[in-house]
Amino acid sequence: MTAAALSPGRSNLHRFLSGYGQEIVVLLSIVALFVVVGAINHRFLSDTNINSIFAGNAYIAIAAIGMSMVIIAGHIDVSVGALIGVIATIAGTLAVSGYPIWVAWTVPILFAIAVNAGVGTLVAYTRIPSIVVTLGMLSILKGGLISATAGEWISNLPPEFMIAQMRPFGIPSAVWFMVALTIIASLFLRYTDFGRSIYAVGGNMEAARAAGINPERTVIGVFALHGLFAGIAGILFATQLQVIQSTVPPNLELTVITASVIGGVSILGGTGTVIGSTLAAILFACIGSALIFLNVSAYWLRAVLGLMILATVLADMARRRRAK
Amino acid sequence: MTVAKLFRHETILAILTVIAMIVLASLSDKFFTLDNLLNQGRLMAEVGLISLAMTFVIVTGGIDLSVGSILGLTAILLGVFWHNVGLPLPAAILLAMVCGTFAGWVNGLIITRFSVPPLIATLATLALYRGLAEGISEARSVRGYPEWFFFFGQGEVLGVPFQLWVMGIATLIAAAILGLTPFGRATYAIGANEVAARFSGIRVDATKLWIYTASGFCAALAAVIFVSRVTTTRSDMGTGLELDAITAVVLGGTSIFGGRGTIIGTALGLILIQALKNGLALSGVKGDGTIVVIGLVLIGAILVGALFDRNRGG
């Protein structure tokens, strides 16, 4: 959602297109990728591959929903990858230690909400930039995880714990979660007072305060919500394979931030949608898979991601300059 | 701002460092030996060089997250130029360092020419440069460097590790530039108020471009020392180094909002972190436990700094 989406006096279609420009670009890229790569290698379109693209990366899209809210509010979180690693390990440990399954699912999520609410409180009241607080949190979570587990894998997970592998109505539950949470979060951001206050705080904090919003409370709330989404993402991540590796998934925070930014969330805060970030997460997954099917070495994946972030950010800045 | 105020944080930090050293020395009798201290200096030099340039970057109000990746890319290029392309090793070293410096210049260009916030620009190049290192190397390491090359990372001059000399000289140069030259004053002015600096005729963009280029150069220099010290190149070298450098700089009293900070502070921050890492390891805390302590120290230091600022009525 950009300022153009709110400006009156344009046709509905034009308003829609300009409001969701980035989202449409990402969606078209996904379609184009499927058509082109599918034409070159039919196996790209096989059920197993499409299944692995969507179900295997849904947790990234879900984490990107929370990250998008944080970035819309004008902040950032570089510790989300470490947090997801910690959540997965706590969940797995609880599950194999004989606690009820619902405990193994909910306790780690509550933990994630508490950690991020703490981060949000520090950011909101001490005015320490979120990048610094979350850098510190990254060290704490990562170091804590490795020293607590010594890198030992958790296996023999009870089958009823594996929520990501369940398939209600033939579709992996991770995909259900991704779709449902994206819709809920979109509606929440657009139609609730709290959702709109996130845009207001990210756009101009003092103006938001003057308009009667409590920016501190909004920032804490956003980080807590981000914790909720990271928690759900962590549970799905923990239950998608038969073992939990008890490590921080490499580059996860980068992938999540990239998904938000490419999906149209301006890194300067104030604009963006979670539909865009979910589409961007899917686009990445497609690109990663496409590289394999096009026989491009997977070693180049990160360079491609880096180029994509850079191109998107440069385009974002150019668009802002034109808008001025 | 008076000199006394400027040095207040550094004084507190120096006292903290001394206390930490005394405590660590009492915990382990191996800590306060000349051998151990010199060896720690050796380990500190790579992060140290990067932290010096990072101080300038953060004083301008910017940040450079890509330094660890530049280090990795330079290391890989050094290996590839020598091993795969077949250049003589000195030429390979020089060329790799030119590439690393160029990577820093590209950061500066993206930040100044396209007004991309430094956090985002260098987050993107963090991925890009590391990605290039991974793509070029295909996860193969290069070994078998000639004996003379190991001097940079393992050699000694007058009983002191070579890179500690490099680090010492670089610290003096950086302190002189930041503290005594018009360039240093421009750096502070940009961080304090960029628009005002621009209107006072300071060449803001040129200054920033120099600083990010220098950041790339320091990372490239650190890469050569790193490769020489560990005798091999791998594409994951220097991962997370940016966090260590930023921690040292911020712990050293440089304001993350820009406009304030000193090289002495950064040097003290570096020493404190290295002492903590080493001392805790010697007293039996496992390697990963020390990361937790450093994270806590980082947040604690900034928290204290923020409280001080508030009390000053800032």
Side-chain angles (χ1 to χ4, degrees):
Chain A
M1 200 164 70
T2 65
L6 303 169
S7 67
R10 294 191 183 182
S11 78
N12 279 335
L13 180 67
H14 187 271
R15 209 188 296 175
F16 179 79
L17 288 180
S18 61
Y20 287 96
Q22 187 83 13
E23 287 81 353
I24 291 167
V25 169
V26 174
L27 185 61
L28 291 179
S29 312
I30 297 173
V31 173
L33 203 69
F34 270 107
V35 171
V36 173
V37 181
I40 297 171
N41 191 331
H42 288 292
R43 276 175 302 151
F44 185 70
L45 300 176
S46 71
D47 281 354
T48 11
N49 191 48
I50 289 180
N51 193 28
S52 86
I53 288 178
F54 283 87
N57 294 283
Y59 75 97
I60 294 177
I62 292 167
I65 294 174
M67 182 66 78
S68 297
M69 293 186 186
V70 169
I71 300 180
I72 289 169
H75 291 281
I76 198 153
D77 176 13
V78 295
S79 68
V80 67
L83 185 58
I84 287 176
V86 169
I87 292 162
T89 307
I90 297 177
T93 310
L94 290 173
V96 294
S97 312
Y99 286 91
I101 295 306
W102 65 270
V103 172
W105 283 338
T106 51
V107 167
I109 295 178
L110 293 175
F111 171 80
I113 295 172
V115 166
N116 275 12
V119 168
T121 309
L122 270 180
V123 170
Y125 285 108
T126 64
R127 302 287 177 88
I128 303 173
S130 45
I131 174 107
V132 178
V133 177
T134 55
L135 273 179
M137 192 46 85
L138 169 67
S139 295
I140 294 170
L141 290 172
K142 196 174 177 180
L145 178 63
I146 309 172
S147 14
T149 63
E152 247 173 76
W153 292 16
I154 304 171
S155 51
N156 297 324
L157 296 159
E160 64 274 19
F161 171 65
M162 314 306 271
I163 188 166
Q165 296 178 11
M166 297 170 189
R167 300 176 69 99
F169 307 106
I171 292 172
S173 63
V175 176
W176 285 114
F177 270 103
M178 175 175 78
V179 173
L181 291 173
T182 306
I183 293 171
I184 293 170
S186 294
L187 296 175
F188 165 79
L189 278 174
R190 223 176 157 154
Y191 295 110
T192 65
D193 286 347
F194 185 72
R196 279 195 286 236
S197 74
I198 299 175
Y199 285 97
V201 168
N204 186 333
M205 193 162 141
E206 290 318 314
R209 194 190 300 279
I213 293 168
N214 181 336
E216 285 80 18
R217 216 171 287 165
T218 305
V219 168
I220 297 171
V222 163
F223 270 95
L225 264 178
H226 170 49
L228 171 65
F229 285 103
I232 297 171
I235 297 296
L236 292 175
F237 175 71
T239 54
Q240 65 178 358
L241 300 173
Q242 298 306 323
V243 291
I244 297 169
Q245 298 189 4
S246 309
T247 52
V248 175
N251 301 322
L252 186 52
E253 63 283 343
L254 203 62
T255 317
V256 171
I257 293 170
T258 313
S260 300
V261 174
I262 302 232
V265 176
S266 170
I267 208 72
L268 302 178
T271 65
T273 67
V274 295
I275 296 174
S277 68
T278 297
L279 286 173
I282 295 171
L283 176 63
F284 284 167
C286 293
I287 292 175
S289 170
L291 287 180
I292 297 167
F293 279 90
L294 295 175
N295 287 325
V296 177
S297 148
Y299 295 120
W300 288 99
L301 179 59
R302 201 188 328 217
V304 172
L305 279 186
L307 264 183
M308 281 179 56
I309 317 178
L310 204 53
T312 316
V313 170
L314 290 179
D316 185 29
M317 295 314 288
R319 201 165 46 205
R320 271 163 190 275
R321 201 170 289 184
R322 260 209 316 278
K324 272 184 198 163
Chain B
M1 185 185 287
T2 61
V3 175
K5 259 189 182 167
L6 194 69
F7 273 84
R8 193 158 72 180
H9 184 96
E10 280 80 348
T11 322
I12 297 172
L13 197 61
I15 295 169
L16 255 180
T17 310
V18 171
I19 294 174
M21 293 241 183
I22 294 172
V23 172
L24 292 170
S26 69
L27 286 176
S28 160
D29 49 0
K30 275 190 223 109
F31 177 74
F32 218 75
T33 57
L34 191 61
D35 264 1
N36 182 49
L37 292 184
L38 287 179
N39 197 34
Q40 292 313 309
R42 204 186 270 291
L43 296 176
M44 202 180 71
E46 290 134 22
V47 184
L49 286 168
I50 289 171
S51 306
L52 294 178
M54 187 72 83
T55 309
F56 283 79
V57 170
I58 295 181
V59 167
T60 64
I63 200 152
D64 188 350
L65 298 178
S66 73
V67 282
S69 297
I70 294 182
L71 189 149
L73 181 59
T74 309
I76 285 300
L77 288 176
L78 193 165
V80 166
F81 287 149
W82 175 67
H83 187 262
N84 303 44
V85 181
L87 291 179
L89 190 51
I93 293 172
L94 272 182
L95 199 56
M97 284 186 64
V98 169
C99 292
T101 312
F102 178 73
W105 181 79
V106 169
N107 283 338
L109 198 70
I110 296 168
I111 290 161
T112 56
R113 186 61 60 81
F114 298 95
S115 347
V116 178
L119 176 69
I120 305 312
T122 57
L123 195 62
T125 53
L126 175 148
L128 178 61
Y129 297 153
R130 181 70 65 193
L132 288 175
E134 284 172 354
I136 292 168
S137 71
E138 301 197 315
R140 282 190 296 263
S141 60
V142 174
R143 299 167 168 279
Y145 292 101
E147 201 59 38
W148 65 264
F149 176 63
F150 300 139
F151 173 74
F152 302 121
Q154 303 169 23
E156 290 180 357
V157 178
L158 303 175
V160 174
F162 172 76
Q163 61 264 58
L164 209 49
W165 288 103
V166 176
M167 176 66 203
I169 293 166
T171 307
L172 289 179
I173 295 174
I177 293 177
L178 190 60
L180 304 172
T181 64
F183 186 88
R185 283 191 290 279
T187 308
Y188 284 114
I190 293 170
N193 187 334
E194 187 168 325
V195 178
R198 217 178 275 276
F199 280 117
S200 353
I202 290 170
R203 296 175 59 214
V204 172
D205 286 352
T207 309
K208 283 208 227 168
L209 196 55
W210 270 109
I211 289 173
Y212 284 97
T213 310
S215 185
F217 172 78
C218 285
L221 186 61
V224 175
I225 293 172
F226 198 156
V227 173
S228 168
R229 178 168 65 83
V230 301
T231 73
T232 170
T233 52
R234 290 205 326 262
S235 61
D236 64 349
M237 277 177 151
T239 308
L241 212 61
E242 62 280 354
L243 304 192
D244 289 353
I246 294 167
T247 308
V249 173
V250 171
L251 193 57
T254 298
S255 163
I256 198 81
F257 300 107
R260 200 149 37 88
T262 59
I263 293 291
I264 305 173
T266 298
L268 285 170
L270 277 167
I271 294 172
L272 181 56
I273 290 174
Q274 192 62 39
L276 278 178
K277 271 188 183 172
N278 172 237
L280 290 172
L282 285 178
S283 1
V285 178
K286 271 192 242 126
D288 312 301
T290 62
I291 315 180
V292 180
V293 174
I294 288 164
L296 287 172
V297 167
L298 173 67
I299 292 183
I302 297 181
L303 209 54
V304 171
L307 292 176
F308 265 115
D309 270 359
R310 194 159 292 182
N311 291 343
R312 254 181 240 166

